[in-house]
Amino acid sequence: MNKKLITLLLGTTLALSACGSSNDNASKPANEGGTTTTSAGEADNIYKNKCSSCHGANLEGAFGPELKKIGSTHSKDEIEKIILEGKSGGMPAKLIQGDQAALVAKWLSEKK
């Protein structure tokens, strides 16, 4: 019983803390040049604000799994679906939405 209560409290606390700040730069205009460096930098910033509390600052994993080589096992579309829909075991849905979810999914899919 105590294990279930602790797991529930930890999961709830983690889900609430994983929501990150509401300042997600959604109003920034897209880079017209479409350079990979800018996109990667923006995806990295979104990741750090929304995902690193569970997956680690360097993708090393913490409460959530390691993501250093996620692109070798999951496609961009699969990663985006997990970001949008969540995953049982603690990954909350919709922490990142829309174009930002697609950008982070693309960035993570390149981690092989």
Side-chain angles (χ1 to χ4, degrees):
M1 180 71 170
N2 286 339
K3 285 183 182 181
K4 288 182 180 180
L5 181 60
I6 290 171
T7 302
L8 176 64
L9 291 173
L10 180 59
T12 303
T13 303
L14 197 51
L16 292 174
S17 68
C19 291
S21 70
S22 61
N23 183 8
D24 57 7
N25 299 324
S27 62
K28 280 189 176 179
N31 180 6
E32 291 181 33
T35 63
T36 304
T37 305
T38 301
S39 296
E42 185 177 351
D44 183 53
N45 285 335
I46 295 166
Y47 171 86
K48 285 181 179 168
N49 288 327
K50 302 285 185 171
C51 311
S52 64
S53 63
C54 291
H55 296 286
N58 297 309
L59 309 168
E60 73 275 12
F63 179 74
E66 177 181 318
L67 300 176
K68 288 181 179 182
K69 296 181 181 182
I70 190 71
S72 65
T73 58
H74 291 72
S75 70
K76 182 235 179 234
D77 291 337
E78 291 169 329
I79 295 169
E80 187 172 357
K81 182 178 180 182
I82 293 169
I83 291 170
L84 294 172
E85 296 178 7
K87 196 168 182 181
S88 64
M91 173 70 185
K94 300 180 183 176
L95 288 179
I96 308 171
Q97 298 181 28
D99 291 342
Q100 289 186 339
L103 183 64
V104 172
K106 180 181 182 307
W107 178 72
L108 286 171
S109 71
E110 295 167 354
K111 308 294 182 192
K112 300 188 186 226

XYZ file of all heavy atoms in Angstrom:
809
model
N 0.820 -1.192 0.000
C 0.000 0.000 0.000
C 0.861 1.253 0.000
O 0.583 2.183 -0.719
C -0.932 -0.034 1.219
C -1.840 1.152 1.317
S -3.080 1.063 0.025
C -4.156 2.347 0.518
N 1.914 1.267 0.835
C 2.786 2.435 0.888
C 3.499 2.678 -0.430
O 3.687 3.814 -0.833
C 3.809 2.283 2.019
C 3.178 2.489 3.376
O 2.127 3.103 3.472
N 3.817 1.969 4.409
N 3.908 1.596 -1.110
C 4.577 1.741 -2.399
C 3.647 2.392 -3.421
O 4.061 3.237 -4.196
C 5.059 0.398 -2.928
C 6.277 -0.134 -2.219
C 6.717 -1.431 -2.859
C 7.918 -2.008 -2.135
N 8.363 -3.254 -2.748
N 2.391 1.982 -3.410
C 1.421 2.553 -4.355
C 1.200 4.032 -4.073
O 1.137 4.845 -4.992
C 0.093 1.806 -4.274
C 0.134 0.433 -4.868
C -1.217 -0.226 -4.808
C -1.165 -1.619 -5.413
N -2.471 -2.277 -5.366
N 1.113 4.402 -2.827
C 0.908 5.795 -2.455
C 2.106 6.643 -2.838
O 1.957 7.723 -3.411
C 0.629 5.909 -0.947
C 0.379 7.323 -0.418
C -0.822 7.944 -1.112
C 0.166 7.289 1.080
N 3.283 6.141 -2.561
C 4.507 6.874 -2.912
C 4.606 7.030 -4.424
O 4.926 8.107 -4.927
C 5.746 6.163 -2.335
C 5.752 6.299 -0.806
C 7.026 6.733 -2.926
C 6.790 5.458 -0.112
N 4.324 5.965 -5.158
C 4.367 6.031 -6.623
C 3.358 7.038 -7.151
O 3.668 7.834 -8.042
C 4.088 4.637 -7.219
O 5.048 3.715 -6.718
C 4.160 4.670 -8.733
N 2.171 7.037 -6.600
C 1.139 7.979 -7.022
C 1.562 9.419 -6.747
O 1.455 10.287 -7.616
C -0.182 7.671 -6.322
C -1.333 8.637 -6.602
C -1.716 8.566 -8.068
C -2.521 8.319 -5.730
N 2.064 9.670 -5.556
C 2.499 11.030 -5.202
C 3.677 11.485 -6.057
O 3.709 12.617 -6.526
C 2.843 11.109 -3.717
C 1.665 10.983 -2.755
C 2.154 10.911 -1.322
C 0.690 12.114 -2.938
N 4.646 10.597 -6.244
C 5.807 10.936 -7.060
C 5.391 11.206 -8.502
O 5.819 12.186 -9.111
C 6.843 9.816 -7.011
C 8.105 10.034 -7.820
C 8.834 11.291 -7.359
C 9.018 8.842 -7.722
N 4.533 10.348 -9.032
C 4.079 10.533 -10.415
C 3.309 11.816 -10.601
O 3.503 12.541 -11.580
N 2.451 12.147 -9.662
C 1.668 13.380 -9.739
C 2.571 14.594 -9.647
O 2.458 15.535 -10.431
C 0.607 13.418 -8.612
O -0.212 12.272 -8.728
C -0.236 14.666 -8.693
N 3.492 14.558 -8.700
C 4.438 15.673 -8.552
C 5.273 15.847 -9.795
O 5.469 16.961 -10.277
C 5.356 15.432 -7.335
O 4.547 15.256 -6.185
C 6.318 16.580 -7.132
N 5.757 14.751 -10.342
C 6.591 14.816 -11.532
C 5.811 15.327 -12.733
O 6.307 16.148 -13.500
C 7.155 13.431 -11.827
C 8.328 13.375 -12.763
C 9.420 14.328 -12.331
C 8.885 11.982 -12.804
N 4.591 14.862 -12.894
C 3.772 15.316 -14.015
C 3.505 16.812 -13.923
O 3.551 17.522 -14.925
C 2.458 14.550 -14.060
N 3.253 17.300 -12.729
C 3.009 18.730 -12.557
C 4.267 19.544 -12.788
O 4.227 20.607 -13.394
C 2.444 19.007 -11.164
C 1.037 18.480 -10.911
C 0.653 18.685 -9.449
C 0.030 19.149 -11.816
N 5.407 19.052 -12.338
C 6.646 19.798 -12.528
C 7.130 19.733 -13.965
O 7.837 20.616 -14.432
C 7.733 19.298 -11.579
O 8.137 18.000 -11.929
N 6.751 18.692 -14.689
C 7.186 18.535 -16.069
C 6.497 19.499 -17.020
O 6.922 19.659 -18.150
C 6.929 17.101 -16.534
N 5.452 20.138 -16.559
C 4.712 21.042 -17.426
C 5.550 22.233 -17.861
O 5.238 22.879 -18.840
C 3.433 21.522 -16.741
S 2.248 20.186 -16.555
N 6.601 22.532 -17.177
C 7.495 23.614 -17.570
C 6.831 24.966 -17.471
O 5.748 25.122 -16.949
N 7.508 25.955 -17.983
C 6.970 27.310 -17.938
C 6.029 27.536 -19.103
O 6.091 26.866 -20.113
C 8.115 28.325 -17.989
O 8.700 28.316 -19.266
N 5.171 28.516 -18.957
C 4.244 28.824 -20.044
C 4.903 29.685 -21.108
O 4.352 29.900 -22.164
C 3.013 29.536 -19.493
O 3.391 30.755 -18.886
N 6.092 30.179 -20.846
C 6.814 30.979 -21.827
C 7.596 30.052 -22.732
O 8.758 29.796 -22.531
C 7.766 31.960 -21.123
C 8.484 32.852 -22.105
O 8.181 32.853 -23.295
N 9.455 33.596 -21.617
N 6.938 29.547 -23.781
C 7.576 28.572 -24.652
C 7.956 29.156 -26.007
O 8.202 28.434 -26.948
C 6.693 27.345 -24.823
C 5.318 27.701 -25.363
O 5.100 28.874 -25.736
O 4.462 26.805 -25.403
N 7.996 30.479 -26.093
C 8.420 31.162 -27.311
C 7.543 30.819 -28.504
O 7.984 30.840 -29.633
C 9.887 30.839 -27.632
C 10.817 31.299 -26.539
O 10.596 32.347 -25.920
N 11.847 30.521 -26.273
N 6.283 30.501 -28.269
C 5.385 30.132 -29.353
C 5.136 31.294 -30.304
O 4.793 31.094 -31.453
C 4.063 29.632 -28.793
N 5.321 32.519 -29.845
C 5.046 33.657 -30.697
C 6.244 34.075 -31.542
O 6.148 34.985 -32.340
C 4.598 34.842 -29.834
O 5.631 35.208 -28.948
N 7.375 33.407 -31.398
C 8.547 33.744 -32.202
C 8.310 33.359 -33.656
O 7.808 32.274 -33.942
C 9.785 32.984 -31.699
C 10.414 33.594 -30.489
C 11.722 32.894 -30.222
C 12.443 33.536 -29.078
N 13.701 32.847 -28.800
N 8.710 34.219 -34.583
C 8.564 33.858 -35.990
C 9.544 32.761 -36.373
O 10.629 32.671 -35.818
C 8.882 35.165 -36.739
C 9.692 35.974 -35.784
C 9.246 35.566 -34.412
N 9.144 31.946 -37.323
C 10.018 30.878 -37.795
C 11.176 31.474 -38.577
O 11.056 32.511 -39.216
C 9.229 29.916 -38.679
N 12.290 30.805 -38.563
C 13.458 31.237 -39.317
C 13.188 31.012 -40.796
O 12.952 29.902 -41.235
C 14.682 30.419 -38.862
C 15.935 30.827 -39.609
O 15.934 31.779 -40.369
N 16.997 30.087 -39.385
N 13.238 32.092 -41.574
C 12.934 31.993 -42.995
C 13.955 31.172 -43.748
O 13.659 30.536 -44.728
C 12.821 33.393 -43.602
C 11.591 34.133 -43.109
C 11.480 35.508 -43.728
O 11.884 35.688 -44.880
O 10.964 36.400 -43.044
N 15.209 31.163 -43.270
C 16.253 30.392 -43.938
C 16.109 28.908 -43.690
O 16.619 28.097 -44.441
N 15.446 28.525 -42.618
C 15.230 27.122 -42.324
C 16.494 26.356 -42.004
O 16.614 25.196 -42.335
N 17.469 26.998 -41.391
C 18.722 26.317 -41.130
C 18.564 25.279 -40.030
O 17.784 25.446 -39.100
C 19.823 27.317 -40.709
O 19.423 27.937 -39.489
C 20.053 28.366 -41.768
N 19.307 24.221 -40.154
C 19.269 23.147 -39.177
C 19.760 23.635 -37.825
O 19.225 23.253 -36.798
C 20.145 21.971 -39.664
O 19.681 21.573 -40.935
C 20.082 20.808 -38.707
N 20.778 24.489 -37.813
C 21.343 24.969 -36.557
C 20.303 25.728 -35.745
O 20.153 25.489 -34.559
C 22.561 25.881 -36.825
O 23.490 25.151 -37.622
C 23.217 26.315 -35.547
N 19.555 26.624 -36.380
C 18.532 27.372 -35.666
C 17.444 26.438 -35.180
O 17.013 26.519 -34.040
C 17.934 28.460 -36.576
O 18.989 29.320 -36.989
C 16.878 29.259 -35.850
N 16.984 25.530 -36.028
C 15.947 24.580 -35.635
C 16.423 23.701 -34.496
O 15.683 23.445 -33.551
C 15.548 23.703 -36.826
O 14.972 24.502 -37.824
N 17.661 23.229 -34.588
C 18.211 22.381 -33.532
C 18.326 23.165 -32.232
O 18.019 22.643 -31.163
C 19.567 21.828 -33.944
N 18.744 24.424 -32.327
C 18.847 25.256 -31.131
C 17.492 25.508 -30.504
O 17.341 25.460 -29.279
N 16.491 25.750 -31.325
C 15.133 25.971 -30.814
C 14.583 24.685 -30.206
O 13.994 24.702 -29.127
C 14.218 26.453 -31.936
C 12.835 26.826 -31.451
C 11.947 27.373 -32.555
O 12.423 27.641 -33.669
O 10.741 27.520 -32.285
N 14.792 23.550 -30.872
C 14.329 22.266 -30.346
C 15.018 21.958 -29.025
O 14.382 21.492 -28.075
C 14.589 21.154 -31.359
N 16.306 22.239 -28.945
C 17.062 22.018 -27.714
C 16.505 22.872 -26.579
O 16.353 22.392 -25.452
C 18.546 22.332 -27.960
C 19.406 22.045 -26.748
O 19.345 20.928 -26.209
O 20.157 22.962 -26.337
N 16.173 24.121 -26.866
C 15.601 25.001 -25.839
C 14.232 24.507 -25.370
O 13.935 24.528 -24.178
C 15.482 26.437 -26.348
C 16.812 27.143 -26.396
O 17.729 26.799 -25.661
N 16.921 28.134 -27.261
N 13.398 24.068 -26.297
C 12.090 23.530 -25.942
C 12.283 22.292 -25.070
O 11.638 22.139 -24.032
C 11.258 23.192 -27.198
C 10.937 24.471 -27.985
C 9.972 22.456 -26.815
C 10.424 24.213 -29.391
N 13.193 21.411 -25.492
C 13.487 20.203 -24.719
C 13.922 20.565 -23.299
O 13.430 19.995 -22.327
C 14.580 19.368 -25.413
C 15.057 18.229 -24.555
C 14.385 17.012 -24.556
C 16.154 18.372 -23.702
C 14.789 15.973 -23.741
C 16.561 17.337 -22.880
C 15.878 16.140 -22.902
O 16.275 15.116 -22.077
N 14.834 21.492 -23.171
C 15.334 21.868 -21.847
C 14.228 22.428 -20.961
O 14.194 22.165 -19.767
C 16.491 22.853 -21.970
C 17.756 22.168 -22.419
C 18.926 23.103 -22.536
C 20.140 22.285 -22.962
N 21.258 23.066 -23.375
N 13.299 23.181 -21.540
C 12.206 23.776 -20.770
C 11.108 22.779 -20.428
O 10.453 22.908 -19.395
C 11.589 24.955 -21.520
C 12.493 26.157 -21.538
O 13.233 26.399 -20.602
N 12.440 26.918 -22.616
N 10.867 21.811 -21.282
C 9.700 20.948 -21.111
C 10.026 19.491 -20.780
O 9.180 18.800 -20.228
C 8.855 20.949 -22.402
C 8.379 22.316 -22.839
C 7.262 22.784 -21.955
C 6.707 24.095 -22.470
N 5.491 24.471 -21.782
N 11.213 19.011 -21.122
C 11.485 17.570 -21.055
C 12.642 17.170 -20.142
O 12.692 16.043 -19.663
C 11.797 17.035 -22.454
S 10.622 17.533 -23.730
N 13.578 18.083 -19.948
C 14.814 17.711 -19.256
C 14.616 17.327 -17.800
O 15.427 16.585 -17.245
C 15.853 18.829 -19.368
O 15.397 19.996 -18.698
N 13.539 17.787 -17.173
C 13.326 17.420 -15.773
C 13.112 15.914 -15.621
O 13.419 15.352 -14.573
C 12.154 18.195 -15.176
O 10.952 17.881 -15.839
N 12.629 15.253 -16.656
C 12.438 13.794 -16.607
C 13.500 13.037 -17.399
O 13.889 11.938 -17.016
C 11.071 13.407 -17.149
S 9.705 13.918 -16.088
N 13.938 13.595 -18.507
C 14.845 12.873 -19.402
C 16.295 13.328 -19.291
O 17.145 12.827 -20.028
C 14.363 12.995 -20.852
C 13.042 12.344 -21.087
N 12.882 10.981 -21.155
C 11.798 12.874 -21.232
C 11.599 10.697 -21.345
N 10.922 11.827 -21.400
N 16.580 14.257 -18.388
C 17.950 14.706 -18.168
C 18.366 15.816 -19.102
O 17.925 15.880 -20.250
N 19.234 16.684 -18.619
C 19.689 17.833 -19.401
C 20.445 17.420 -20.653
O 20.442 18.121 -21.658
C 20.570 18.736 -18.535
N 21.093 16.253 -20.595
C 21.881 15.769 -21.732
C 21.301 14.492 -22.324
O 22.049 13.660 -22.843
C 23.328 15.543 -21.291
C 23.978 16.829 -20.854
O 23.953 17.825 -21.564
N 24.537 16.834 -19.660
N 19.980 14.337 -22.222
C 19.274 13.170 -22.762
C 19.662 11.879 -22.061
O 19.366 10.791 -22.553
C 19.502 13.025 -24.281
C 19.246 14.246 -25.160
C 19.797 14.013 -26.552
C 17.781 14.554 -25.230
N 20.322 11.980 -20.902
C 20.864 10.802 -20.224
C 19.825 9.993 -19.454
O 20.110 8.904 -18.976
C 22.008 11.198 -19.278
C 21.565 11.910 -18.005
C 21.375 13.412 -18.129
O 21.357 13.953 -19.267
O 21.245 14.068 -17.089
N 18.628 10.520 -19.337
C 17.590 9.835 -18.580
C 17.666 10.222 -17.117
O 18.723 10.538 -16.592
N 16.534 10.224 -16.489
C 16.425 10.493 -15.055
C 15.216 9.681 -14.609
O 15.293 8.467 -14.560
C 16.267 11.985 -14.792
N 14.098 10.347 -14.349
C 12.857 9.620 -14.065
C 12.365 8.957 -15.353
O 11.903 7.835 -15.345
C 11.797 10.581 -13.507
C 10.499 9.908 -13.208
C 10.364 9.075 -12.112
C 9.400 10.090 -14.035
C 9.158 8.441 -11.842
C 8.200 9.457 -13.771
C 8.083 8.637 -12.678
N 12.492 9.670 -16.460
C 12.122 9.133 -17.766
C 13.317 8.451 -18.412
O 14.446 8.578 -17.947
N 13.089 7.733 -19.508
C 14.180 6.984 -20.137
C 15.201 7.880 -20.839
O 14.935 9.022 -21.172
C 13.457 6.103 -21.160
C 12.183 6.798 -21.437
C 11.811 7.522 -20.174
N 16.367 7.326 -21.043
C 17.438 7.975 -21.804
C 16.955 8.173 -23.243
O 16.265 7.321 -23.810
C 18.681 7.081 -21.796
C 19.818 7.632 -22.619
C 21.022 6.706 -22.612
O 21.366 6.169 -21.541
O 21.610 6.533 -23.692
N 17.342 9.300 -23.845
C 16.927 9.600 -25.214
C 18.112 9.819 -26.153
O 17.925 10.259 -27.282
C 16.028 10.850 -25.227
C 14.739 10.762 -24.412
C 14.002 12.094 -24.438
C 13.847 9.644 -24.911
N 19.319 9.502 -25.712
C 20.516 9.765 -26.516
C 20.481 9.101 -27.882
O 21.045 9.624 -28.829
C 21.775 9.315 -25.770
C 22.139 10.198 -24.620
C 23.403 9.713 -23.945
C 23.770 10.622 -22.792
N 25.013 10.187 -22.151
N 19.846 7.939 -27.996
C 19.809 7.206 -29.265
C 18.368 6.855 -29.652
O 18.121 5.862 -30.327
C 20.644 5.928 -29.153
C 22.116 6.215 -28.929
C 22.922 4.942 -28.849
C 24.384 5.278 -28.612
N 25.202 4.068 -28.581
N 17.431 7.685 -29.254
C 16.012 7.408 -29.498
C 15.689 7.293 -30.990
O 14.823 6.532 -31.398
C 15.106 8.461 -28.805
C 13.633 8.049 -28.835
C 15.286 9.842 -29.409
C 13.295 6.904 -27.946
N 16.416 8.017 -31.817
C 16.182 7.983 -33.259
C 16.563 6.663 -33.906
O 16.144 6.378 -35.024
N 17.344 5.846 -33.217
C 17.705 4.545 -33.772
C 16.604 3.504 -33.563
O 16.618 2.451 -34.208
C 19.024 4.045 -33.170
O 18.882 3.811 -31.788
N 15.655 3.802 -32.683
C 14.571 2.855 -32.422
C 13.185 3.406 -32.732
O 12.233 2.637 -32.818
C 14.589 2.401 -30.945
O 14.473 3.542 -30.103
C 15.866 1.641 -30.620
N 13.071 4.733 -32.875
C 11.772 5.355 -33.138
C 11.903 6.370 -34.273
O 12.871 7.136 -34.331
C 11.252 6.084 -31.895
C 10.862 5.184 -30.773
N 11.763 4.495 -30.011
C 9.644 4.869 -30.283
C 11.128 3.796 -29.091
N 9.828 4.002 -29.239
N 10.909 6.411 -35.136
C 10.882 7.392 -36.222
C 10.421 8.750 -35.686
O 9.901 8.844 -34.569
C 9.920 6.934 -37.325
O 8.582 7.018 -36.858
N 10.558 9.767 -36.492
C 10.083 11.108 -36.128
C 8.595 11.064 -35.805
O 8.141 11.625 -34.813
C 10.362 12.095 -37.258
C 9.938 13.516 -36.920
C 8.986 14.017 -38.000
C 8.533 15.410 -37.682
N 7.086 15.559 -37.649
N 7.822 10.365 -36.635
C 6.374 10.285 -36.422
C 6.027 9.556 -35.121
O 5.100 9.954 -34.411
C 5.685 9.604 -37.609
C 5.729 10.464 -38.862
O 5.868 11.701 -38.752
O 5.614 9.895 -39.972
N 6.766 8.492 -34.814
C 6.525 7.760 -33.564
C 6.840 8.630 -32.349
O 6.092 8.645 -31.373
C 7.365 6.481 -33.519
C 6.937 5.430 -34.514
C 7.924 4.282 -34.634
O 9.146 4.481 -34.457
O 7.454 3.164 -34.909
N 7.935 9.362 -32.425
C 8.327 10.241 -31.320
C 7.297 11.348 -31.148
O 6.879 11.659 -30.029
C 9.736 10.821 -31.553
C 10.782 9.703 -31.538
C 10.069 11.892 -30.510
C 12.161 10.114 -32.019
N 6.857 11.922 -32.248
C 5.852 12.984 -32.177
C 4.552 12.463 -31.564
O 3.919 13.138 -30.757
C 5.598 13.571 -33.560
C 4.696 14.785 -33.526
C 4.578 15.495 -34.870
O 5.243 15.097 -35.844
O 3.808 16.468 -34.939
N 4.159 11.250 -31.918
C 2.947 10.661 -31.347
C 3.087 10.500 -29.835
O 2.154 10.794 -29.081
C 2.660 9.307 -32.005
C 1.399 8.660 -31.497
C 1.114 7.343 -32.204
C -0.163 6.743 -31.645
N -0.479 5.457 -32.248
N 4.242 10.061 -29.365
C 4.477 9.916 -27.925
C 4.412 11.280 -27.245
O 3.807 11.422 -26.182
C 5.831 9.228 -27.654
C 5.789 7.774 -28.131
C 6.191 9.304 -26.172
C 7.142 7.081 -28.151
N 5.011 12.297 -27.862
C 4.977 13.647 -27.296
C 3.534 14.137 -27.179
O 3.141 14.689 -26.155
C 5.814 14.627 -28.151
C 7.307 14.302 -28.035
C 5.554 16.073 -27.737
C 8.191 15.046 -29.022
N 2.751 13.930 -28.213
C 1.376 14.438 -28.240
C 0.410 13.617 -27.386
O -0.452 14.176 -26.717
C 0.866 14.498 -29.680
C 1.576 15.495 -30.597
C 1.113 15.326 -32.033
C 1.370 16.918 -30.119
N 0.560 12.308 -27.395
C -0.401 11.439 -26.717
C 0.069 10.927 -25.356
O -0.704 10.356 -24.611
C -0.734 10.244 -27.617
C -1.421 10.657 -28.899
C -1.725 9.485 -29.820
O -1.529 8.313 -29.425
O -2.155 9.745 -30.954
N 1.353 11.112 -25.052
C 1.894 10.590 -23.812
C 2.115 9.094 -23.913
O 1.924 8.481 -24.960
N 2.530 8.517 -22.796
C 2.804 7.083 -22.760
C 2.574 6.597 -21.342
O 2.923 7.282 -20.382
C 4.252 6.832 -23.189
C 4.567 5.424 -23.556
C 5.914 5.334 -24.230
C 6.162 3.885 -24.631
N 7.455 3.733 -25.269
N 1.965 5.430 -21.215
C 1.706 4.907 -19.875
C 3.024 4.735 -19.131
O 4.049 4.444 -19.719
C 0.961 3.582 -19.954
O 1.761 2.601 -20.574
N 2.985 4.943 -17.860
C 4.186 4.824 -17.057
C 4.732 6.174 -16.631
O 5.744 6.249 -15.960
N 4.087 7.263 -17.056
C 4.503 8.557 -16.555
C 4.681 9.657 -17.573
O 4.798 10.815 -17.194
N 4.714 9.349 -18.867
C 4.892 10.394 -19.872
C 3.549 11.082 -20.104
O 2.639 10.510 -20.694
C 5.398 9.778 -21.182
C 5.469 10.737 -22.346
S 6.756 11.971 -22.162
C 6.440 12.975 -23.592
N 3.417 12.335 -19.615
C 2.150 13.042 -19.803
C 1.970 13.501 -21.249
O 2.939 13.754 -21.959
C 2.246 14.240 -18.854
C 3.679 14.373 -18.516
C 4.358 13.081 -18.816
N 0.740 13.593 -21.674
C 0.413 14.037 -23.031
C 0.478 15.553 -23.136
O 0.299 16.268 -22.156
C -0.989 13.557 -23.401
N 0.747 16.011 -24.345
C 0.614 17.415 -24.736
C 1.472 18.396 -23.935
O 1.094 19.553 -23.772
C -0.847 17.844 -24.675
C -1.732 17.046 -25.595
C -3.162 17.495 -25.499
C -4.039 16.629 -26.373
N -5.448 16.954 -26.265
N 2.647 17.964 -23.472
C 3.560 18.931 -22.849
C 4.066 19.901 -23.903
O 4.355 21.050 -23.615
C 4.741 18.221 -22.185
C 4.428 17.467 -20.911
C 5.685 16.793 -20.389
C 3.845 18.389 -19.861
N 4.189 19.393 -25.107
C 4.587 20.204 -26.261
C 3.537 19.923 -27.331
O 3.125 18.779 -27.519
C 5.977 19.810 -26.783
C 7.008 19.804 -25.663
C 6.411 20.759 -27.896
C 8.338 19.214 -26.072
N 3.105 20.960 -28.039
C 2.062 20.783 -29.035
C 2.445 21.449 -30.350
O 3.365 22.251 -30.408
C 0.755 21.363 -28.521
C 0.238 20.675 -27.275
C -1.075 21.258 -26.795
O -1.857 21.785 -27.572
N -1.325 21.164 -25.495
N 1.706 21.097 -31.391
C 1.817 21.756 -32.689
C 3.189 21.670 -33.317
O 3.845 20.630 -33.295
N 3.610 22.793 -33.888
C 4.890 22.857 -34.594
C 6.060 22.564 -33.672
O 7.068 22.005 -34.095
C 5.084 24.234 -35.237
C 4.126 24.486 -36.391
O 3.560 23.509 -36.924
O 3.941 25.663 -36.761
N 5.936 22.940 -32.408
C 7.021 22.678 -31.461
C 7.186 21.178 -31.231
O 8.308 20.687 -31.136
C 6.777 23.401 -30.146
C 6.952 24.896 -30.262
C 6.850 25.588 -28.916
O 6.283 25.053 -27.969
N 7.402 26.778 -28.833
N 6.085 20.441 -31.152
C 6.160 18.985 -30.987
C 6.844 18.359 -32.194
O 7.697 17.478 -32.050
C 4.767 18.395 -30.786
N 6.486 18.818 -33.382
C 7.100 18.300 -34.605
C 8.593 18.623 -34.649
O 9.405 17.783 -35.051
C 6.394 18.875 -35.831
N 8.954 19.823 -34.217
C 10.356 20.243 -34.219
C 11.183 19.397 -33.249
O 12.259 18.907 -33.602
C 10.448 21.724 -33.851
C 11.824 22.361 -33.880
C 12.390 22.368 -35.291
C 11.740 23.784 -33.349
N 10.680 19.190 -32.049
C 11.399 18.388 -31.058
C 11.464 16.926 -31.512
O 12.498 16.273 -31.366
C 10.753 18.513 -29.662
C 11.369 17.534 -28.682
C 10.924 19.939 -29.136
N 10.391 16.418 -32.092
C 10.373 15.035 -32.586
C 11.420 14.847 -33.685
O 12.147 13.849 -33.693
C 8.989 14.666 -33.103
N 11.521 15.807 -34.577
C 12.520 15.728 -35.657
C 13.926 15.741 -35.059
O 14.783 14.940 -35.423
C 12.363 16.874 -36.646
C 13.354 16.848 -37.784
C 13.151 18.025 -38.720
C 14.072 18.013 -39.899
N 15.481 17.897 -39.594
N 14.164 16.644 -34.125
C 15.463 16.771 -33.465
C 15.832 15.472 -32.737
O 16.945 14.978 -32.874
C 15.409 17.965 -32.510
C 16.622 18.225 -31.700
C 17.819 18.716 -32.146
C 16.764 18.035 -30.288
N 18.690 18.849 -31.080
C 18.066 18.446 -29.939
C 15.903 17.582 -29.292
C 18.547 18.390 -28.624
C 16.370 17.540 -27.986
C 17.662 17.938 -27.661
N 14.881 14.913 -32.001
C 15.146 13.669 -31.270
C 15.350 12.492 -32.237
O 16.168 11.603 -31.969
C 14.016 13.360 -30.292
C 13.974 14.225 -29.034
C 12.686 13.968 -28.262
C 15.193 14.004 -28.162
N 14.639 12.487 -33.352
C 14.769 11.380 -34.304
C 16.159 11.344 -34.933
O 16.587 10.306 -35.449
C 13.702 11.467 -35.399
O 13.960 12.542 -36.277
N 16.888 12.422 -34.866
C 18.257 12.476 -35.396
C 19.282 11.987 -34.393
O 20.469 11.879 -34.711
C 18.566 13.910 -35.832
C 17.692 14.374 -36.989
C 17.744 15.863 -37.263
O 18.387 16.604 -36.488
O 17.129 16.285 -38.254
N 18.862 11.660 -33.184
C 19.749 11.142 -32.143
C 19.873 9.638 -32.327
O 18.974 8.897 -32.004
C 19.206 11.463 -30.727
C 18.859 12.902 -30.499
C 20.089 13.757 -30.541
C 19.739 15.208 -30.271
N 20.812 16.111 -30.571
N 21.013 9.220 -32.871
C 21.187 7.785 -33.198
C 22.444 7.234 -32.613
O 23.420 7.717 -32.433
C 21.170 7.592 -34.694
C 19.858 8.071 -35.268
C 19.697 7.738 -36.713
C 18.439 8.403 -37.196
N 17.563 7.726 -37.941
